[in-house]
Amino acid sequence: MLFNSLEYLLFLPCVLLLYHSLPFRLQNPLLLAASYFFYGYWDWRFLLLMILSTCCDFALANALARTETPFARKAMLALSISINLGALGFFKYYNFFADSMARLLQSFGFHSNVGTLHIILPVGISFYTFQSMGYIIDVYRRDIKPIRGFFSYALFVSYFPQLMAGPIERFANLFGQLSNPRTMTKELASEGAYLILWGMFKKILIADNLAELANYGFSNLSSLNFFTALAVIYAFAFQIYCDFSGYTDIARGSSLLLGIRLRLNFDFPYFSAGPSEFWQRWHISLSTWLRDYLYVSLGGNRHGSLRTYRNLMVTMILGGLWHGANWTFLLWGFYQGLLLVAFRFFGRKTGFRPPRAVGAILFFQLVCVGWVFFRASSLGECLDFFAALGRFTPSYLPRVHVLVLIVPLLLMEGVQFLRKDMFSVFRIHPAMRVLFYLGIYLITMVAGKWESNSFIYFQF
Amino acid sequence: MKLFAVISPVGWITLVCIFLMEAVFLARSESLAGFPFLQPTSDDATVMAKRALIRRTDGAIVLIGDSSCMFGLIPGIIQEATRVPCINLGTLLSFTMAGYESLLEETEETHVPAAVVVVLNPRAFQPDLAGARRFGMLGRYLLAYGRGNRGYAPGFKDFQSLLFRKHQLNSFPEEFGGSFDAFAGELDSTAGYFPEFHRYLAPKNRETGFVSSDFTRNALARLVAHSRSKGIPVYFWWSPLPQDAVDPGYLSAANALGREIGTWDGIKLLQDTLPTWHPGLFATVTHLNARGAEANSRILAGKLLPFVRH
């Protein structure tokens, strides 16, 4: 079920009405049933896979907690991670590696019998797999005690607002709230409703309109010149931001209406003045996951500069690969790692820091270079795009006017960023607030793209 | 209820305003689109404008079919030759044969045409049920006007599509007059014909592999049966194709289907074979230009003359 569908606009109020009329002991069973319905609505076979993964991790986490022998504990952790990564690897990466292996063997003159399969990627698998892995690693590290009730654990994995594309939740935050009675307040309801409205505005109005421009540009790379290529990549930069952060806003808003506060996933990333800050503001739940479970496990910054740089590169390359099975994602991760290393190296050497606004504008250009790798479907497309930046021949781009949609977004988020308050709209006069909400609703209804546009991150 | 207790006054006022705005919008707008508040898409506009012509179909020759019908036959010429009023209810391929069936059924519920001519490009036989669902046009039409079709049950997606499209801000294409009023006015003055102004570009590849779906054939059979039950004669007319657009295999397969249709009760084929014409008479691969439409109309009028002369 897509957040930007009529199904969800009917599903959510039904769940809310039922949920708030039930006593606490029945609320979690309702949420689990609703979450499984939400997920199974897509394809019930994916639901079976998720339940299977839930059973394995639940059993292993509890067995792990009861075991004291270090070797057995390590073996159980390895087994759980193998199951999770095995499922992820099969559904997400099998064809990529089979195809790459075949090409490699062919280049050496060998014939490969490893065929690709027609595999459909279960939606959300990367997200719930990482959430489960984070949980089991925490149990292994004895940071947390395992969840005793199966259905409680199943809800922790499948909680519908964040199931499809995060935020990747941590045990302490989500389970802590799920296991205690929730108090619904006016503040939570207002924030929740506002986030849903603002998320819809970002996704349906901005992202999906900009998508047409970005898609056209990447389908007609040979006709682009320097200016139209810039327009295309700026369109994509804001498309992907509004698409993913819009999804997160709707997820967080829906959850707030259930009385559960999901973690922040986007914190005005395009106002960042460097890669380190960017990764503290962009897809925060993934970057902190990678930091805590991968970067730190590799040694983090504890063993000198060279090891730190290596760890950064490994973390970012694997982070890139997490997004999808394509060399372009690997390249994107490599590029992000390179930026982190370069800024760290030169920042320490020179101590140079441009004024914040200038730094943010300049760094945004570097982010956009990364988006070329991210958006292109092949390395050849990346090269074609960079070649277009060197052309100054006349070029036509239809619907370029949709770029104007970025202006209200930047104005709104600029105010929120400067005031350090995501809900600064709550501080304006109530009458103006009503007008603001009506304006957002009307413009999203009439100028938004309501039909058939999935979220980009669902494919990851 | 706990949930209602936590909605702020601003929230309540916003919800009430949205509810009132939507109520006025839905009550005062056209069933299929947001018109007159918002311009319809050209697809929806075509169906809306053609429905408006239904009132003129009593005792008339009704041309029904895909866009090759709308852009390819001039009712004025047919009327002049046959002395029988003629109305072109041709719409779009995306409306599908089941859509033409429903539109004709709607016509025949309250009016009695003198004859019905089903006018089709062979491509109109291609869409199957899944295609019709993908296009969405038929589902929206059925829901908007509260109609039923035996070959197509509107689903939730159709309802969603209708609701969202009604709210959509469209700029009406200049080539169709720039506004729905201008477009509908033009169709009203021409009795449903709309001239195609594009310049023909030869296709890179000739069309191969003619396909006809059961969904389409069944809809055509139902259309014929319905008119027959009302005592209205039905004729079949292939829209001409450019000579450089299709291969001989495609033509022979389409002709085989034509011959099969000719054996059905209640429908008469007016051509022996699917005609292919010089590309100079076309505006696109499927649409005739004004000169082509004139020629097509004269030939059809000649063929109809023995059957429908006033």
Side-chain angles (χ1 to χ4, degrees):
Chain A
M1 202 181 290
L2 287 171
F3 280 167
N4 56 334
S5 68
L6 190 59
E7 285 102 321
Y8 188 72
L9 295 181
L10 297 173
F11 168 82
L12 183 65
C14 291
V15 171
L16 289 175
L17 285 174
L18 259 174
Y19 176 84
H20 287 289
S21 59
L22 290 175
F24 169 64
R25 68 188 166 82
L26 294 177
Q27 283 182 334
N28 282 359
L30 170 76
L31 282 183
L32 181 62
S35 298
Y36 279 178
F37 175 79
F38 176 85
Y39 194 66
Y41 190 82
W42 212 284
D43 190 327
W44 63 269
R45 291 167 301 178
F46 296 166
L47 181 60
L48 292 182
L49 181 72
M50 190 175 70
I51 293 173
L52 195 68
S53 153
T54 304
C55 292
C56 289
D57 286 332
F58 175 75
L60 282 168
N62 278 285
L64 194 59
R66 285 194 301 270
T67 309
E68 291 301 325
T69 328
F71 176 76
R73 288 173 57 76
K74 270 191 183 154
M76 281 178 201
L77 176 69
L79 180 62
S80 169
I81 289 179
S82 303
I83 291 170
N84 280 302
L85 290 183
L88 194 60
F90 174 74
F91 284 103
K92 203 164 173 174
Y93 302 106
Y94 174 82
N95 281 345
F96 171 66
F97 284 118
D99 189 47
S100 299
M101 178 63 78
R103 281 169 193 237
L104 186 71
L105 289 173
Q106 267 174 12
S107 66
F108 286 107
F110 296 109
H111 175 70
S112 165
N113 285 325
V114 185
T116 54
L117 301 172
H118 183 68
I119 300 170
I120 303 168
L121 181 69
V123 67
I125 190 170
S126 309
F127 291 90
Y128 73 71
T129 300
F130 267 46
Q131 186 159 311
S132 302
M133 278 176 20
Y135 164 75
I136 207 127
I137 294 170
D138 284 346
V139 172
Y140 172 77
R141 288 176 176 171
R142 298 190 198 280
D143 289 342
I144 58 169
K145 284 194 162 52
I147 301 170
R148 295 287 172 203
F150 174 75
F151 293 110
S152 302
Y153 178 68
L155 179 58
F156 166 71
V157 175
S158 66
Y159 181 53
F160 77 83
Q162 48 93 235
L163 174 59
M164 299 294 198
I168 302 168
E169 274 296 340
R170 297 298 177 82
F171 173 84
N173 182 48
L174 183 56
F175 190 71
Q177 296 181 78
L178 285 174
S179 51
N180 290 305
R182 278 76 74 173
T183 315
M184 200 59 201
T185 62
K186 275 198 171 140
E187 191 191 20
L188 282 183
S190 302
E191 287 182 7
Y194 168 72
L195 281 176
I196 292 174
L197 188 67
W198 185 240
M200 292 278 186
F201 174 80
K202 284 203 275 190
K203 163 64 183 164
I204 295 164
L205 182 76
I206 303 180
D208 289 347
N209 273 298
L210 291 176
E212 291 188 352
L213 187 59
N215 292 345
Y216 177 88
F218 273 90
S219 312
N220 297 277
L221 287 170
S222 58
S223 69
L224 299 182
N225 65 16
F226 174 79
F227 298 105
T228 49
L230 271 191
V232 166
I233 202 60
Y234 286 163
F236 180 69
F238 283 95
Q239 179 206 344
I240 191 162
Y241 170 62
C242 289
D243 191 284
F244 195 15
S245 72
Y247 166 87
T248 309
D249 286 346
I250 301 168
R252 293 182 66 227
S254 303
S255 188
L256 281 174
L257 295 180
L258 295 163
I260 293 167
R261 201 177 276 279
L262 294 178
R263 60 193 305 206
L264 194 66
N265 214 15
F266 289 88
D267 189 17
F268 313 111
Y270 287 160
F271 296 129
S272 306
S276 179
E277 185 186 353
F278 179 77
W279 284 105
Q280 286 165 30
R281 294 179 179 278
W282 177 277
H283 202 174
I284 300 166
S285 65
L286 176 68
S287 52
T288 51
W289 196 101
L290 291 171
R291 183 196 64 200
D292 295 347
Y293 298 114
L294 186 60
Y295 178 69
V296 169
S297 301
L298 289 169
N301 56 3
R302 295 191 299 271
H303 304 288
S305 296
L306 278 179
R307 290 279 292 273
T308 304
Y309 296 153
R310 184 207 67 177
N311 295 342
L312 282 172
M313 290 303 294
V314 169
T315 304
M316 295 317 290
I317 288 171
L318 289 176
L321 203 58
W322 174 89
H323 285 83
N326 197 328
W327 290 104
T328 52
F329 289 121
L330 209 75
L331 200 58
W332 178 73
F334 180 81
Y335 173 76
Q336 293 297 338
L338 217 55
L339 283 181
L340 281 167
V341 169
F343 269 68
R344 200 178 171 98
F345 180 77
F346 289 111
R348 289 206 171 158
K349 283 265 178 208
T350 62
F352 172 70
R353 273 194 182 194
R356 185 169 179 89
V358 176
I361 292 169
L362 291 177
F363 182 69
F364 177 69
Q365 313 311 313
L366 293 177
V367 171
C368 286
V369 172
W371 290 139
V372 176
F373 304 126
F374 195 94
R375 174 61 179 78
S377 54
S378 65
L379 298 179
E381 258 189 29
C382 297
L383 293 176
D384 287 346
F385 186 91
F386 291 121
L389 287 172
R391 275 195 297 268
F392 290 90
T393 46
S395 167
Y396 167 72
L397 201 58
R399 288 180 55 79
V400 72
H401 61 272
V402 295
L403 281 172
V404 80
L405 292 170
I406 296 169
V407 176
L409 175 84
L410 285 178
L411 285 176
M412 184 72 185
E413 296 215 333
V415 171
Q416 293 172 339
F417 178 74
L418 292 174
R419 290 189 177 174
K420 295 185 171 52
D421 180 7
M422 198 164 269
F423 301 102
S424 49
V425 69
F426 293 168
R427 295 343 133 207
I428 61 176
H429 190 275
M432 295 300 290
R433 237 160 89 200
V434 171
L435 286 178
F436 175 79
Y437 295 151
L438 289 178
I440 295 277
Y441 172 81
L442 274 179
I443 194 166
T444 307
M445 283 305 284
V446 302
K449 301 277 172 195
W450 279 93
E451 287 185 276
S452 73
N453 289 305
S454 187
F455 290 85
I456 294 175
Y457 264 70
F458 278 21
Q459 64 188 291
F460 305 142
Chain B
M1 173 87 43
K2 274 183 282 182
L3 187 62
F4 294 135
V6 293
I7 299 177
S8 66
V10 167
W12 277 119
I13 295 169
T14 308
L15 285 174
V16 169
C17 287
I18 288 174
F19 179 79
L20 288 176
M21 282 192 316
E22 285 292 344
V24 171
F25 175 73
L26 293 174
R28 302 295 294 272
S29 59
E30 215 275 344
S31 302
L32 185 62
F35 189 76
F37 302 102
L38 297 163
Q39 288 290 324
T41 62
S42 50
D43 291 13
D44 291 345
T46 304
V47 173
M48 285 158 59
K50 292 297 172 122
R51 279 188 79 249
L53 294 175
I54 288 177
R55 64 188 153 81
R56 292 166 54 183
T57 54
D58 266 321
I61 298 167
V62 170
L63 313 172
I64 194 139
D66 57 10
S67 57
S68 72
C69 173
M70 175 163 80
F71 293 105
L73 286 167
I74 305 167
I77 292 176
I78 296 168
Q79 183 168 336
E80 198 180 279
T82 60
R83 305 288 168 93
V84 177
C86 181
I87 298 292
N88 187 332
L89 293 186
T91 49
L92 301 161
L93 184 140
S94 57
F95 196 32
T96 74
M97 192 77 79
Y100 319 145
E101 175 207 355
S102 287
L103 186 63
L104 189 64
E105 230 176 72
E106 192 181 348
T107 306
E108 291 173 350
E109 264 171 25
T110 45
H111 302 274
V112 186
V116 169
V117 186
V118 180
V119 183
L120 297 170
N121 179 289
R123 282 185 187 179
F125 282 95
Q126 215 164 321
D128 55 8
L129 181 61
R133 293 211 182 279
R134 213 169 35 248
F135 291 138
M137 183 74 244
L138 172 61
R140 288 200 304 277
Y141 160 83
L142 295 173
L143 285 171
Y145 301 114
R147 303 205 58 82
N149 185 288
R150 274 168 288 166
Y152 187 99
F156 191 78
K157 288 264 175 244
D158 294 310
F159 179 68
Q160 175 166 331
S161 171
L162 173 67
L163 192 70
F164 291 151
R165 280 195 180 221
K166 267 180 84 81
H167 287 82
Q168 199 176 300
L169 181 73
N170 300 295
S171 57
F172 207 81
E174 280 303 321
E175 61 188 289
F176 293 129
S179 73
F180 176 70
D181 283 333
F183 177 65
E186 169 80 7
L187 285 180
D188 193 59
S189 68
T190 60
Y193 165 72
F194 202 86
E196 173 71 89
F197 294 111
H198 284 107
R199 278 181 72 87
Y200 183 78
L201 290 171
K204 284 185 187 141
N205 300 308
R206 285 171 183 262
E207 190 134 345
T208 56
F210 171 76
V211 178
S212 69
S213 69
D214 287 345
F215 171 76
T216 305
R217 291 147 68 113
N218 292 341
L220 180 59
R222 288 194 303 271
L223 179 153
V224 174
H226 188 268
S227 294
R228 198 174 166 223
S229 71
K230 300 264 178 180
I232 303 163
V234 182
Y235 303 94
F236 186 86
W237 186 254
W238 284 119
S239 292
L241 297 176
Q243 282 160 347
D244 57 359
V246 289
D247 79 354
Y250 185 91
L251 278 179
S252 65
N255 281 324
L257 175 69
R259 281 192 298 275
E260 184 200 319
I261 291 168
T263 63
W264 296 358
D265 279 344
I267 187 164
K268 183 165 178 53
L269 244 67
L270 295 173
Q271 299 141 301
D272 295 329
T273 54
L274 199 165
T276 54
W277 287 6
H278 188 272
L281 293 168
F282 288 85
T284 69
V285 177
T286 48
H287 298 165
L288 290 161
N289 59 22
R291 208 153 52 93
E294 203 179 309
N296 193 29
S297 308
R298 286 196 196 289
I299 298 169
L300 173 62
K303 296 277 186 183
L304 278 173
L305 214 51
F307 306 107
V308 298
R309 187 151 204 170
H310 192 60

